[in-house]
């Protein structure tokens, strides 16, 4: 943060104040979305009376476990790709040495980091999976029918920080500092976009599963997986 | 890929659209969007990632040669997403398309919900669009006629109260040809059980009531039928999403039970009535659960067999397969009970694949068979998967404990030449159970 006031530039802006902004918007936006959804759900009288913790947890567990549902078993390739994609997508930025150093620099906290070469490979995996997801949208008939322009934007939004991060790390295409600035800005855009786009499925997942899991388990006595 | 369908004429849809204007359409849509929906619609629409995991779960998609416009999410895209994108300003042509998709290309079987990573309730979204159509008055004629009948007579077939009493009287006469002093009590106060019948059973399929009476007499159940309107357990208003009529019918059932001071209500083998009576109907009336136990035929037979109140004289030897009706299996988990019953009745059971709560819908439920002859082709095409499932078992008898599945599979049987007999549990049990010597005429 201080760096920006000492030496104002796009680089220090993206490295300091924008990070703060992105995290604030992400966290507040996320809480706001969850809070308003829970409040709206009260208006529908058929949600809260039927919620059931046991079946909520069963449902979430089944769908977070690879091949835990009949749906995933019927789509083994897609399941494998999405699981690898999501794990790398979340784990890489959280356990990247470079990112942890930044946390340490500002807040004096640090945690276990991924070996650099592994993190590098995981980044490539995210990029490859994004390409696969785009190809799937382009060439699989039923998904092509469902896809609109915004679906490609969402994938690109997610893939961009990884592409730029990879390029910056290997000092390809553009000068390191410029690429790093683009990397930071794209990451911040992604964080800000999460509460306001369909990327919000990262937390809405738990709410919809709670409802459907409870309905299926506690009321209908059947499986939702 | 375009939405391409052969033209079908349905007075209930086409004629109504000639009468209404865009203002009325907008009013109905706004009412549903503003007054009747909230978090579920918003979250379900915003969370769908268009991943396509639901696609192959749908028998309509598979039955129509993998036409993407039949995939569950595609049906949602072409209806509720479209309405939301247009902010409710939709044309008559749009409504016609929505009605066709929601009434005749979806059975509300909720199999796709089991396949969605987010558990998005696709059937709920489709039902919402049906609700909009219903408020405009755009409902397939055959469904609407039955709903109107429910409004006035509380049964589905314009049956009058005196016709009902008369029918039961002559059924009792017939019963006495098989059971000595057999009784069909009507309007008996303080009985243990109130038995409700299917509208069709009173008018065309009376053998089902006689057979149930036979079982009740042999098992010595203290039962009664209603002596007033409200004896028909069907609630066709569910298909049109006409909540007001649905509430009225369900309320009549429960009120009749309280008036006769019975301990529980038992219905025969029907899916949608059970679902409405324990979910949609009671929730609409403001109860969390049914105010008195509401028992399905499968649960009844399970108890009677388990407690030894009826005994089987000779099991069926031909290969038999089991149809799992969505409304009692996926909606109430009766799969194990059903299998216990069938194991008591039959020697040779060949299961369909997939089975139990992952079973495919018969393609007749959720109002599709009630949409009547204009939409029969849509139903038969959607039933291709079910027909293949049955053919692969090699069974000679299909046990379908649901009126809709029963009729739906009978039609599939003829069209796909499956050479099977479709049977109700009640018919099989009445045929092969032991009748004590003293009860024989």
């Amino acid at each position: 943060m201080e760096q920006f006031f000492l030496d104002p530039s796009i680089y220090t802006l993206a490295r300091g104040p924008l990070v703060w902004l992105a995290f604030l918007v992400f966290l507040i936006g996320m809480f706001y979305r969850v809070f308003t959804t829970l409040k709206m759900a009260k208006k529908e009288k058929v949600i809260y009376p039927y919620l059931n913790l046991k079946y909520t947890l069963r449902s979430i567990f089944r769908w977070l476990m690879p091949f835990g549902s009949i749906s995933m078993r019927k789509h083994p390739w897609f399941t494998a790709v999405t699981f690898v994609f999501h794990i790398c997508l979340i784990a890489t930025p959280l356990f990247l040495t470079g990112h942890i150093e930044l946390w340490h620099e500002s807040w004096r906290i640090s945690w276990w980091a991924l070996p650099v070469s592994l993190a590098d490979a995981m980044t490539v995996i995210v990029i490859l999976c994004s390409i696969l997801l785009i190809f799937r949208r382009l060439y699989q008939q039923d998904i092509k029918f469902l896809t609109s322009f915004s679906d490609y934007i969402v994938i690109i939004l997610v893939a961009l920080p990884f592409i730029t991060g990879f390029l910056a790390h290997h000092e390809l295409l553009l000068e390191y500092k410029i690429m790093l600035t683009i990397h930071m800005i794209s990451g911040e855009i992604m964080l800000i976009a999460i509460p306001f786009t369909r990327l919000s499925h990262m937390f809405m997942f738990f709410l919809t599963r709670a409802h459907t899991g409870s309905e299926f388990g506690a009321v209908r006595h059947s499986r939702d997986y | 890929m375009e939405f391409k369908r052969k033209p079908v004429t349905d007075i209930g849809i086409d004629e109504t659209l000639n009468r209404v204007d865009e203002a009325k359409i907008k009013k109905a849509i706004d009412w549903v969007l503003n007054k009747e929906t909230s978090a579920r619609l918003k979250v379900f629409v915003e969370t769908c990632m268009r991943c396509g995991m639901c696609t192959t779960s749908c028998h309509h998609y598979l039955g129509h040669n993998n036409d993407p416009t039949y995939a569950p999410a595609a049906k949602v895209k072409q209806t509720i997403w479209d309405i939301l994108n247009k902010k409710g300003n939709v044309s008559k042509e749009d409504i016609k398309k929505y009605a066709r998709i929601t009434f005749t290309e979806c059975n509300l079987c909720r199999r796709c919900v089991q396949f969605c990573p987010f558990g998005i309730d696709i059937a709920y979204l489709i039902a919402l669009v049906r609700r909009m159509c219903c408020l405009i008055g755009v409902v397939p004629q055959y469904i609407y006629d039955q709903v109107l009948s429910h409004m006035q007579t509380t049964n589905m077939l314009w049956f009058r109260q005196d016709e009902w009493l008369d029918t039961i009287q002559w059924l009792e006469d017939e019963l006495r040809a098989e059971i000595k002093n057999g009784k069909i009590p009507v309007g008996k106060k303080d009985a243990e059980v109130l038995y409700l019948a299917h509208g069709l059973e009173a008018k065309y399929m009376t053998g089902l009531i006689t057979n149930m009476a036979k079982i009740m007499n042999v098992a010595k159940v203290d039962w009664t039928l209603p002596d007033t309107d409200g004896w028909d357990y069907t609630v066709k208003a569910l298909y049109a999403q006409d909540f007001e009529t649905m509430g009225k019918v369900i309320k009549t059932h429960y009120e009749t039970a309280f008036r006769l001071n019975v301990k529980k209500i038992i219905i025969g083998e029907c899916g949608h009535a059970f679902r409405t009576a324990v979910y949609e109907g009671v929730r609409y009336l403001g109860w969390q659960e049914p105010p008195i136990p509401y028992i399905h035929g499968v649960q009844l037979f399970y108890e009677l067999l388990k407690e030894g109140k009826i005994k089987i004289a000779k099991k069926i030897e031909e290969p038999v397969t089991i149809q799992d009706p969505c409304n009692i299996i996926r909606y109430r988990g009766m799969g194990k009970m059903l299998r216990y019953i069938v194991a008591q009745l039959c020697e040779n059971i060949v299961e369909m694949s997939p089975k139990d709560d992952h079973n495919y819908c018969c393609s007749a439920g959720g109002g599709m068979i009630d949409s009547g002859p204009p939409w029969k082709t849509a139903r038969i095409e959607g039933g291709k998967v079910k027909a293949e499932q049955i053919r692969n078992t090699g069974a000679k008898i299909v046990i379908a404990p649901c009126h809709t599945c029963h009729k739906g599979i009978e039609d599939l049987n003829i069209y796909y030449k499956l050479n099977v007999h479709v049977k109700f549990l009640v018919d099989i049990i009445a045929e092969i159970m032991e009748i004590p010597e003293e009860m024989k005429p």
Side-chain angles (χ1 to χ4, degrees), chain A residues 51-195:
Chain A
L51 282 186
N52 180 302
L53 183 65
K54 181 182 157 195
Y55 291 110
T56 299
L57 295 177
R58 179 181 84 166
S59 182
I60 291 172
F61 172 74
R62 280 283 178 173
W63 283 93
L64 285 184
M65 194 171 74
F67 302 99
S69 70
I70 180 178
S71 189
M72 293 192 227
R73 293 192 289 275
K74 293 263 175 195
H75 304 96
W77 285 106
F78 180 61
T79 303
V81 169
T82 43
F83 267 92
V84 168
F85 174 69
H86 280 93
I87 290 166
C88 294
L89 181 68
I90 294 166
T92 314
L94 281 181
F95 299 105
L96 192 82
T97 321
H99 291 179
I100 297 172
E101 275 170 11
L102 288 173
W103 285 103
H104 187 69
E105 192 184 296
S106 355
W107 287 12
R108 304 273 149 221
I109 49 170
S110 67
W111 52 85
W112 177 82
L114 284 164
V116 177
S117 55
L118 182 61
D120 212 32
M122 284 163 78
T123 307
V124 176
I125 288 173
V126 171
I127 298 166
L128 288 179
C129 287
S130 303
I131 294 169
L132 280 177
L133 291 178
I134 288 179
F135 267 96
R136 196 166 167 272
R137 290 207 179 278
L138 284 172
Y139 295 107
Q140 195 172 323
Q141 284 303 315
D142 58 313
I143 297 154
K144 191 180 169 189
F145 183 77
L146 292 172
T147 302
S148 54
F149 185 63
S150 63
D151 295 299
Y152 296 111
I153 301 283
V154 166
I155 297 181
I156 290 166
L157 217 60
V158 170
L160 212 55
F162 289 85
I163 297 170
T164 51
F166 182 80
L167 292 177
H169 178 69
H170 293 279
E171 300 185 29
L172 295 166
L173 216 61
L174 291 173
E175 196 199 324
Y176 175 70
K177 212 167 171 182
I178 297 174
M179 191 53 94
L180 198 63
T181 312
I182 299 173
H183 167 68
M184 289 187 293
I185 291 175
S186 63
E188 285 147 7
I189 291 174
M190 184 193 76
L191 268 182
I192 290 172
I194 289 174

Side-chain angles (χ1 to χ4, degrees), chain A residues 33 37 40 44 49-50 71 136-137 142 145 151 198 201 208-209 212 215 219-223 225, chain B residues 38-40 46 48-51 55 77 114-119 279 283 288 330 332-333 357-358:
Chain A
R33 279 293 307 277
T37 306
M40 274 170 84
E44 299 205 53
Y50 299 96
S71 189
R136 196 166 167 272
R137 290 207 179 278
D142 58 313
F145 183 77
D151 295 299
R198 259 179 282 122
H201 73 271
T208 55
R209 284 253 71 99
T212 301
E215 274 285 321
V219 184
R220 297 186 194 141
H221 310 307
S222 61
R223 291 170 288 179
Y225 49 88
Chain B
S38 172
R40 274 187 292 174
E46 286 173 3
C48 176
M49 293 304 290
R50 292 94 154 111
C51 68
T55 306
K77 176 194 160 96
Q114 294 178 311
F115 279 71
C116 174
F118 299 99
Y279 303 123
R283 288 182 184 188
Q288 189 173 346
R330 201 171 356 260
R332 205 61 171 184
D357 51 356
H358 286 147

Side-chain angles (χ1 to χ4, degrees), chain B residues 204-255:
Chain B
Y204 306 114
M205 306 164 85
T206 45
L208 289 170
I209 296 184
T210 321
N211 279 340
M212 186 53 103
K214 220 169 131 181
I215 294 170
M216 291 290 201
N217 274 278
V218 169
K220 298 197 168 50
V221 177
D222 179 17
W223 68 307
T224 181
L225 286 163
D227 53 348
T228 50
D229 281 341
W231 51 267
D232 178 359
Y233 58 62
T234 62
V235 194
K236 305 291 178 171
L238 169 77
Y239 299 147
Q241 293 288 302
D242 175 352
F243 301 148
E244 292 73 17
T245 308
M246 175 182 81
K248 180 222 160 193
V249 174
I250 295 298
K251 203 171 164 190
T252 312
H253 293 161
Y254 285 114
E255 279 176 355

